[in-house]
Each structure stands twice: as structure tokens, then as C-alpha cells.
Amino acid sequence: MERPVELGNMTRVQGFVLLGLSTRPDMRDVLFAVFLTLYLVTLLENTLIIYLVCTHSELHKPMYFFLGNLSCLEVCYVSVTMPSLLLGLWNGPSHVPFTACMTQLFFFISLICTECTLLASMAYDRYVAICRPLHYPLLMRPQVCLGLSLSSWLGGLLVSVVKTSCIASLTYCGPNVLNHFFCDVSPLLNLSCTHVALTELVDFISAIVILWGSLLVAIASYVAIGRAVLHMPSAAAHRKAFSTCASHLVVVGIFYSATLFIYARPSRIEAMDLNKVLSVIYTVVTPMCNPVIYCLRNKEVQAAFHRTLCWSRG
């Protein structure tokens, strides 16, 4: 429902109140300990991968280049949303200035768009490696990898500039309470007291282009990989390839399912409690699982990690 108000009577709010993940005092201490642990584990995992990729020459390959980018993104990503989540669990509802809220929104949108396109680039890299191995050195040469990475990061920034500008230009005249643990698109649109049809349209179109576009690239890549695996003569090769692809698809599926449900809809979401639960999935769970699924189960990464341990002991 739109809430038209006479422009002359509008008083722009100076900040927002974040209710946080839980308003129950008896739950907040337990949740704080859980999410602080998850945050530290996520930082440790991804920092370790960045270090290994940068310091071991055998990991200077396209696949690990993208994994290093993804880990760098995950460190930034969780550091945008988790501090406000933890603050809400520690102190309860907190006041966030308008500028700080829009800044958090800008970085969040930029990083989530970048993650979508990076996941698609990683799926394409695996497609070329498995389905077109003879052309892999040409199709995934360093210039191409750098171009895909830069376009992911710059594309996320560009989309975020447009979306954040639209949302920041809306008028918020009260109430100013966000039933969320960070400044997200849907809660902010719900609080606007001016017409948001154009902003919703921009949000919906960008979600369709970024989320659905990158998801289709990832699905097409994995379908092609599946077909190639089915033609492999060895049963052991079948199991190994399907095991790897299945684990990747689980992470991609969980991430895209949650983000598509929230962002690829042409209207604002009213069920904020469901919104918060789904937000936890792609802001907390997937950044923690991605390093394990994509990297730490990989034999080359494990070997590099063991050598690092040996060097540190020596």
C-alpha cells in the first residue's frame, strides 16, 4: 500500500532504528555467541584461502584466482552486515544515522551483485575446463580472468550506485523502525511515505538482470558439465565430477533461492521475519560454507595448507 502524504507536511527522518535479529532478551546472548563464532570462522576461512592463493605458485590458476576473489568478497560481505547484527544482539535495538544506513546499503548491494556474477564466472570456468579442455588456456587466459573479475566488481558498484541513489532519494517521514538487522532494500521501501513505484521497478529490473542472468549462466554451465560427465567412460570419474558439481550446486542453489525470493519480486515484502531468516542464509551461512565447498575440500589447496603448516613449524 502506498502512503501518500502532503509534501509540505513531511519531515525527513534523520536515522532509523534497527530492531535486530531477535527482540527476545533471553535469546540474544546465545545468538550473539553463535553468530560471533560464525563471523570469526568465516573471516579465518576466507583469509586463509586468500593467503594460500597469493603465496603458492601452484595455485596461480584461473580457478583459484576466482576463488581468491570470492574469499576477498566474502570477508567484505560479512563485515558489512555482521557487525550490525552482533550489535543488535548485544545491545538490543540500535539507532543508525541516515547516512550510515545508506552507506551500509550501498556496500551490501554492491557486494551481493558482485557475488552473483563471480559465481557465474566460476561456473563458466569449470565448464571450459571440463567441456573444452583443449581451449582452456586460450579461453581462460589471464586477461580474460581479470576482465571477468573486474566486470563483476565494477558491475556491482554501478548497480549499487543506481539502486542506492533511488532509495536514498525517497522521503522517510516516520515511523523509522526497521524490522531487520541491517539496512536492506525491502524494509526501507516499506518505510517510505512517498511513491516508490519507480524505485521498485529499478530494483526489480536490476534483480532480474543480475540475479536471473548470472543464475542462468551458472545453470547452463553445470548442465553442460553434467552432459560431459555422462559421456566419461570411467565410473570413478562420474562419481568424482558429480560429487564436486553437486556440492557447488547446493551452495549456489541456497544462495540464489534466498536472494531471488527477496529481491526478484516486483513488490515490497511485508513478512519481515521471513525476510530476516532468509537474509541470515545468504549473509551468514553461504559465506561460511563457500570456502569449505569450493576450496578447503580441494586437494591442491589442502597440500598448500599442509606445506604452510610445515614451514611455520620449521
Side-chain angles (χ1 to χ4, degrees):
M1 293 283 297
E2 303 289 349
R3 294 189 288 272
V5 180
E6 292 297 329
L7 291 175
N9 295 330
M10 290 183 186
T11 302
R12 192 182 183 93
V13 301
Q14 300 301 309
F16 300 98
V17 176
L18 290 174
L19 290 184
L21 184 62
S22 175
T23 56
R24 293 178 53 184
D26 58 319
M27 290 291 296
R28 290 209 303 259
D29 290 342
V30 175
L31 290 174
F32 178 84
V34 170
F35 282 102
L36 178 61
T37 302
L38 295 178
Y39 181 40
L40 295 176
V41 168
T42 302
L43 291 179
L44 178 62
E45 289 175 340
N46 286 285
T47 303
L48 175 62
I49 289 171
I50 295 170
Y51 173 77
L52 293 176
V53 170
C54 290
T55 57
H56 290 77
S57 58
E58 66 272 20
L59 299 182
H60 294 173
K61 301 175 183 177
M63 180 176 72
Y64 300 111
F65 171 76
F66 288 119
L67 288 171
N69 270 266
L70 183 64
S71 290
C72 182
L73 182 143
E74 302 287 23
V75 169
C76 301
Y77 190 43
V78 295
S79 297
V80 167
T81 56
M82 284 292 281
S84 62
L85 186 154
L86 293 171
L87 181 63
L89 292 174
W90 184 258
N91 288 329
S94 57
H95 181 270
V96 180
F98 183 86
T99 303
C101 187
M102 292 302 130
T103 301
Q104 183 183 46
L105 178 69
F106 171 80
F107 284 110
F108 172 74
I109 294 174
S110 173
L111 293 169
I112 198 171
C113 290
T114 301
E115 177 152 8
C116 289
T117 48
L118 268 180
L119 289 174
S121 298
M122 292 165 63
Y124 173 72
D125 170 70
R126 291 300 83 204
Y127 157 75
V128 176
I130 294 174
C131 301
R132 305 185 66 182
L134 297 179
H135 298 90
Y136 187 80
L138 176 64
L139 293 177
M140 298 306 296
R141 58 191 182 275
Q143 297 91 329
V144 173
C145 295
L146 184 60
L148 289 172
S149 174
L150 284 176
S151 48
S152 296
W153 287 93
L154 294 177
L157 286 172
L158 179 61
V159 171
S160 187
V161 166
V162 175
K163 292 180 69 168
T164 307
S165 298
C166 289
I167 294 171
S169 65
L170 298 173
T171 300
Y172 303 90
C173 47
N176 66 338
V177 177
L178 291 171
N179 185 15
H180 213 310
F181 56 86
F182 70 97
C183 293
D184 200 1
V185 175
S186 293
L188 287 167
L189 291 181
N190 283 331
L191 292 185
S192 174
C193 51
T194 51
H195 292 287
V196 297
L198 178 60
T199 303
E200 284 185 339
L201 181 62
V202 170
D203 182 51
F204 180 60
I205 292 175
S206 62
I208 290 295
V209 172
I210 297 295
L211 294 178
W212 280 109
S214 58
L215 177 58
L216 289 175
V217 171
I219 290 175
S221 299
Y222 284 122
V223 167
I225 290 171
R227 288 177 177 173
V229 170
L230 288 174
H231 290 89
M232 292 179 178
S234 168
H238 282 185
R239 288 192 298 270
K240 181 179 178 181
F242 274 123
S243 174
T244 302
C245 291
S247 59
H248 290 191
L249 282 171
V250 167
V251 173
V252 171
I254 292 173
F255 174 80
Y256 279 108
S257 297
T259 51
L260 285 171
F261 182 84
I262 292 179
Y263 297 108
R265 294 177 52 156
S267 60
R268 293 171 292 181
I269 295 176
E270 301 296 339
M272 284 297 117
D273 288 334
L274 176 60
N275 195 351
K276 288 195 287 187
V277 172
L278 293 174
S279 296
V280 167
I281 293 174
Y282 63 80
T283 59
V284 179
V285 177
T286 56
M288 184 185 65
C289 293
N290 278 344
V292 177
I293 297 297
Y294 283 107
C295 245
L296 297 180
R297 294 169 67 247
N298 182 283
K299 290 183 178 180
E300 287 184 294
V301 175
Q302 290 176 354
F305 178 59
H306 289 152
R307 282 195 295 275
T308 301
L309 288 179
C310 292
W311 293 338
S312 62
R313 290 170 182 171

PDB file of all heavy atoms in Angstrom, residues 168-183:
ATOM      1  N   ALA A 168      17.779   6.338  -1.545  1.00  0.00           N
ATOM      2  CA  ALA A 168      18.141   7.493  -0.707  1.00  0.00           C
ATOM      3  C   ALA A 168      17.334   8.733  -1.070  1.00  0.00           C
ATOM      4  O   ALA A 168      17.147   9.621  -0.227  1.00  0.00           O
ATOM      5  CB  ALA A 168      19.634   7.781  -0.841  1.00  0.00           C
ATOM      6  N   SER A 169      16.858   8.807  -2.316  1.00  0.00           N
ATOM      7  CA  SER A 169      16.096   9.978  -2.746  1.00  0.00           C
ATOM      8  C   SER A 169      14.648   9.942  -2.278  1.00  0.00           C
ATOM      9  O   SER A 169      13.934  10.948  -2.389  1.00  0.00           O
ATOM     10  CB  SER A 169      16.138  10.094  -4.276  1.00  0.00           C
ATOM     11  OG  SER A 169      15.468   8.999  -4.886  1.00  0.00           O
ATOM     12  N   LEU A 170      14.183   8.807  -1.771  1.00  0.00           N
ATOM     13  CA  LEU A 170      12.821   8.722  -1.242  1.00  0.00           C
ATOM     14  C   LEU A 170      12.709   9.533   0.048  1.00  0.00           C
ATOM     15  O   LEU A 170      13.710   9.829   0.708  1.00  0.00           O
ATOM     16  CB  LEU A 170      12.450   7.266  -0.968  1.00  0.00           C
ATOM     17  CG  LEU A 170      12.432   6.319  -2.171  1.00  0.00           C
ATOM     18  CD1 LEU A 170      12.207   4.878  -1.704  1.00  0.00           C
ATOM     19  CD2 LEU A 170      11.362   6.721  -3.176  1.00  0.00           C
ATOM     20  N   THR A 171      11.485   9.892   0.397  1.00  0.00           N
ATOM     21  CA  THR A 171      11.251  10.638   1.629  1.00  0.00           C
ATOM     22  C   THR A 171      10.760   9.685   2.711  1.00  0.00           C
ATOM     23  O   THR A 171       9.844   8.896   2.487  1.00  0.00           O
ATOM     24  CB  THR A 171      10.204  11.747   1.417  1.00  0.00           C
ATOM     25  OG1 THR A 171      10.679  12.639   0.412  1.00  0.00           O
ATOM     26  CG2 THR A 171       9.958  12.516   2.712  1.00  0.00           C
ATOM     27  N   TYR A 172      11.399   9.769   3.871  1.00  0.00           N
ATOM     28  CA  TYR A 172      11.022   8.948   5.016  1.00  0.00           C
ATOM     29  C   TYR A 172      10.560   9.891   6.120  1.00  0.00           C
ATOM     30  O   TYR A 172      11.355  10.654   6.659  1.00  0.00           O
ATOM     31  CB  TYR A 172      12.199   8.105   5.491  1.00  0.00           C
ATOM     32  CG  TYR A 172      12.761   7.205   4.406  1.00  0.00           C
ATOM     33  CD1 TYR A 172      13.775   7.646   3.562  1.00  0.00           C
ATOM     34  CD2 TYR A 172      12.256   5.927   4.207  1.00  0.00           C
ATOM     35  CE1 TYR A 172      14.280   6.834   2.555  1.00  0.00           C
ATOM     36  CE2 TYR A 172      12.751   5.099   3.211  1.00  0.00           C
ATOM     37  CZ  TYR A 172      13.761   5.567   2.386  1.00  0.00           C
ATOM     38  OH  TYR A 172      14.257   4.765   1.384  1.00  0.00           O
ATOM     39  N   CYS A 173       9.273   9.834   6.436  1.00  0.00           N
ATOM     40  CA  CYS A 173       8.719  10.798   7.400  1.00  0.00           C
ATOM     41  C   CYS A 173       8.166  10.118   8.642  1.00  0.00           C
ATOM     42  O   CYS A 173       7.391  10.704   9.382  1.00  0.00           O
ATOM     43  CB  CYS A 173       7.643  11.646   6.731  1.00  0.00           C
ATOM     44  SG  CYS A 173       6.447  10.714   5.759  1.00  0.00           S
ATOM     45  N   GLY A 174       8.536   8.862   8.865  1.00  0.00           N
ATOM     46  CA  GLY A 174       8.108   8.143  10.055  1.00  0.00           C
ATOM     47  C   GLY A 174       6.949   7.208   9.751  1.00  0.00           C
ATOM     48  O   GLY A 174       6.152   7.475   8.866  1.00  0.00           O
ATOM     49  N   PRO A 175       6.921   6.076  10.479  1.00  0.00           N
ATOM     50  CA  PRO A 175       7.876   5.641  11.509  1.00  0.00           C
ATOM     51  C   PRO A 175       9.238   5.310  10.916  1.00  0.00           C
ATOM     52  O   PRO A 175       9.369   5.159   9.702  1.00  0.00           O
ATOM     53  CB  PRO A 175       7.214   4.387  12.088  1.00  0.00           C
ATOM     54  CG  PRO A 175       6.399   3.842  10.956  1.00  0.00           C
ATOM     55  CD  PRO A 175       5.894   5.044  10.210  1.00  0.00           C
ATOM     56  N   ASN A 176      10.230   5.197  11.790  1.00  0.00           N
ATOM     57  CA  ASN A 176      11.598   4.969  11.319  1.00  0.00           C
ATOM     58  C   ASN A 176      12.191   3.674  11.867  1.00  0.00           C
ATOM     59  O   ASN A 176      13.403   3.533  11.981  1.00  0.00           O
ATOM     60  CB  ASN A 176      12.499   6.147  11.710  1.00  0.00           C
ATOM     61  CG  ASN A 176      12.672   6.244  13.217  1.00  0.00           C
ATOM     62  OD1 ASN A 176      11.850   5.742  13.973  1.00  0.00           O
ATOM     63  ND2 ASN A 176      13.733   6.908  13.647  1.00  0.00           N
ATOM     64  N   VAL A 177      11.328   2.713  12.212  1.00  0.00           N
ATOM     65  CA  VAL A 177      11.783   1.448  12.793  1.00  0.00           C
ATOM     66  C   VAL A 177      11.897   0.391  11.691  1.00  0.00           C
ATOM     67  O   VAL A 177      10.920   0.094  10.987  1.00  0.00           O
ATOM     68  CB  VAL A 177      10.815   0.957  13.887  1.00  0.00           C
ATOM     69  CG1 VAL A 177      11.277  -0.395  14.433  1.00  0.00           C
ATOM     70  CG2 VAL A 177      10.719   1.981  15.002  1.00  0.00           C
ATOM     71  N   LEU A 178      13.109  -0.176  11.522  1.00  0.00           N
ATOM     72  CA  LEU A 178      13.360  -1.231  10.538  1.00  0.00           C
ATOM     73  C   LEU A 178      13.364  -2.582  11.255  1.00  0.00           C
ATOM     74  O   LEU A 178      14.195  -2.827  12.129  1.00  0.00           O
ATOM     75  CB  LEU A 178      14.720  -1.028   9.853  1.00  0.00           C
ATOM     76  CG  LEU A 178      14.865   0.168   8.919  1.00  0.00           C
ATOM     77  CD1 LEU A 178      16.327   0.325   8.510  1.00  0.00           C
ATOM     78  CD2 LEU A 178      14.002   0.007   7.685  1.00  0.00           C
ATOM     79  N   ASN A 179      12.440  -3.440  10.885  1.00  0.00           N
ATOM     80  CA  ASN A 179      12.395  -4.783  11.472  1.00  0.00           C
ATOM     81  C   ASN A 179      13.390  -5.677  10.744  1.00  0.00           C
ATOM     82  O   ASN A 179      13.030  -6.585   9.991  1.00  0.00           O
ATOM     83  CB  ASN A 179      10.979  -5.360  11.370  1.00  0.00           C
ATOM     84  CG  ASN A 179      10.850  -6.704  12.069  1.00  0.00           C
ATOM     85  OD1 ASN A 179      11.725  -7.092  12.859  1.00  0.00           O
ATOM     86  ND2 ASN A 179       9.787  -7.433  11.786  1.00  0.00           N
ATOM     87  N   HIS A 180      14.667  -5.386  10.971  1.00  0.00           N
ATOM     88  CA  HIS A 180      15.744  -6.118  10.308  1.00  0.00           C
ATOM     89  C   HIS A 180      17.009  -5.925  11.128  1.00  0.00           C
ATOM     90  O   HIS A 180      17.027  -5.134  12.078  1.00  0.00           O
ATOM     91  CB  HIS A 180      15.947  -5.603   8.887  1.00  0.00           C
ATOM     92  CG  HIS A 180      16.373  -6.665   7.913  1.00  0.00           C
ATOM     93  ND1 HIS A 180      17.403  -7.525   8.161  1.00  0.00           N
ATOM     94  CD2 HIS A 180      15.910  -6.998   6.683  1.00  0.00           C
ATOM     95  CE1 HIS A 180      17.557  -8.345   7.133  1.00  0.00           C
ATOM     96  NE2 HIS A 180      16.648  -8.048   6.213  1.00  0.00           N
ATOM     97  N   PHE A 181      18.092  -6.643  10.733  1.00  0.00           N
ATOM     98  CA  PHE A 181      19.358  -6.474  11.461  1.00  0.00           C
ATOM     99  C   PHE A 181      20.380  -5.669  10.660  1.00  0.00           C
ATOM    100  O   PHE A 181      21.493  -5.450  11.122  1.00  0.00           O
ATOM    101  CB  PHE A 181      19.950  -7.829  11.879  1.00  0.00           C
ATOM    102  CG  PHE A 181      20.183  -8.801  10.747  1.00  0.00           C
ATOM    103  CD1 PHE A 181      21.348  -8.781  10.012  1.00  0.00           C
ATOM    104  CD2 PHE A 181      19.219  -9.752  10.428  1.00  0.00           C
ATOM    105  CE1 PHE A 181      21.576  -9.671   8.988  1.00  0.00           C
ATOM    106  CE2 PHE A 181      19.440 -10.661   9.403  1.00  0.00           C
ATOM    107  CZ  PHE A 181      20.609 -10.624   8.677  1.00  0.00           C
ATOM    108  N   PHE A 182      19.998  -5.236   9.463  1.00  0.00           N
ATOM    109  CA  PHE A 182      20.818  -4.284   8.707  1.00  0.00           C
ATOM    110  C   PHE A 182      19.911  -3.529   7.755  1.00  0.00           C
ATOM    111  O   PHE A 182      18.742  -3.879   7.570  1.00  0.00           O
ATOM    112  CB  PHE A 182      21.961  -4.988   7.962  1.00  0.00           C
ATOM    113  CG  PHE A 182      21.534  -5.848   6.801  1.00  0.00           C
ATOM    114  CD1 PHE A 182      21.578  -5.359   5.503  1.00  0.00           C
ATOM    115  CD2 PHE A 182      21.099  -7.150   6.997  1.00  0.00           C
ATOM    116  CE1 PHE A 182      21.189  -6.149   4.436  1.00  0.00           C
ATOM    117  CE2 PHE A 182      20.717  -7.949   5.935  1.00  0.00           C
ATOM    118  CZ  PHE A 182      20.754  -7.447   4.651  1.00  0.00           C
ATOM    119  N   CYS A 183      20.437  -2.472   7.147  1.00  0.00           N
ATOM    120  CA  CYS A 183      19.648  -1.647   6.235  1.00  0.00           C
ATOM    121  C   CYS A 183      19.530  -2.358   4.890  1.00  0.00           C
ATOM    122  O   CYS A 183      20.492  -2.393   4.114  1.00  0.00           O
ATOM    123  CB  CYS A 183      20.307  -0.276   6.063  1.00  0.00           C
ATOM    124  SG  CYS A 183      20.280   0.723   7.571  1.00  0.00           S
TER     125      CYS A 183
END
